[in-house]
Amino acid sequence: MGKINQGILGGVSGQVGNVIGGTWKGIDYLRIKPSSVANPRTEGQVDQRSKFSTVLKFLQPMTDFLRVGFKQYANKMTQFNAAMSYNLNNAITGAYPNFMVDYASALVSRGNLTGAANGAASSPSAGNVEATWTDNSGSGSALATDKALIALLNTTRGEAVFTTAGPARSVGTATIPVPSEYSGEDVEVFLGFVSESGTKVANSVYLGSVTVA
């Protein structure tokens, strides 16, 4: 049972009815005890948790990459949470319990900088993945000096290899080394751009799944 200290205007210690009181760093506080949930696992809740878990598994290996890729959308939230929000709402396909990420609809970078044109990916030599694109400098907001943002996601291992300071847009190609143990495994390849100043970011483009040589 709770008690009221120092009379009716004093702090509450413990529980009085549905009010719980306590002290933290010398500050008295009150909070309402939450009502019990009769069924905490409704169909809608289970669906949402499964979707959340699916997107979390997709994005977690790229946490550091997302700090650059979603920097323009970290408004009152972290870059990671901004990426979670976007992909939960736009990149989930399938039905419970078989939700999947639709990579073609997913974004690992987001912004209003002009994106990549004619992007493609391959693994031309052992331990390397190559991304190529057409230099579209001068189209929209694209500049020759924009840097490539490239992420390779190995879903088998739950790992990612990426760069946030790749070759300039004008170069048209980038080679990304991957661990030797990736040989024979598939990686999902995403390409975006960030301006040289770091203030603008382009929506990423999914370049497809590549089997590492």
Side-chain angles (χ1 to χ4, degrees):
M1 182 176 71
K3 62 181 181 179
I4 302 176
N5 301 318
Q6 303 171 10
I8 192 64
L9 298 179
V12 175
S13 175
Q15 182 174 338
V16 179
N18 68 336
V19 176
I20 299 174
T23 301
W24 179 77
K25 291 187 177 181
I27 301 171
D28 294 325
Y29 68 85
L30 296 174
R31 64 184 175 86
I32 303 298
K33 183 180 179 182
S35 302
S36 60
V37 180
N39 179 13
R41 291 182 60 84
T42 65
E43 183 177 349
Q45 288 172 322
V46 171
D47 271 12
Q48 191 63 19
R49 289 170 189 167
S50 182
K51 290 177 181 178
F52 186 90
S53 177
T54 299
V55 176
L56 186 65
K57 185 177 179 181
F58 166 57
L59 294 178
Q60 269 189 327
M62 297 181 281
T63 299
D64 289 340
F65 182 91
L66 296 172
R67 291 192 178 103
V68 176
F70 268 78
K71 64 191 303 181
Q72 289 186 302
Y73 287 84
N75 183 21
K76 297 183 179 180
M77 66 176 72
T78 66
Q79 296 92 338
F80 187 88
N81 285 348
M84 283 289 299
S85 177
Y86 179 87
N87 286 289
L88 272 170
N89 290 318
N90 296 280
I92 289 290
T93 187
Y96 179 84
N98 299 311
F99 289 121
M100 297 179 293
V101 174
D102 176 10
Y103 297 127
S105 299
L107 291 182
V108 296
S109 68
R110 186 182 179 202
N112 53 15
L113 181 65
T114 299
N118 303 316
S122 62
S123 182
S125 59
N128 291 301
V129 171
E130 183 179 73
T132 60
W133 59 90
T134 298
D135 176 15
N136 59 343
S137 302
S139 175
S141 57
L143 296 177
T145 54
D146 297 334
K147 303 296 184 182
L149 298 174
I150 303 169
L152 315 176
L153 178 65
N154 185 326
T155 58
T156 300
R157 298 176 181 270
E159 298 174 354
V161 176
F162 53 81
T163 178
T164 55
R169 189 189 294 262
S170 59
V171 174
T173 184
T175 300
I176 309 299
V178 297
S180 59
E181 57 266 29
Y182 281 20
S183 179
E185 297 178 350
D186 293 338
V187 292
E188 313 304 327
V189 185
F190 297 86
L191 169 66
F193 286 100
V194 60
S195 63
E196 189 175 30
S197 64
T199 58
K200 295 182 179 180
V201 179
N203 284 359
S204 60
V205 176
Y206 177 54
L207 304 188
S209 183
V210 172
T211 302
V212 178

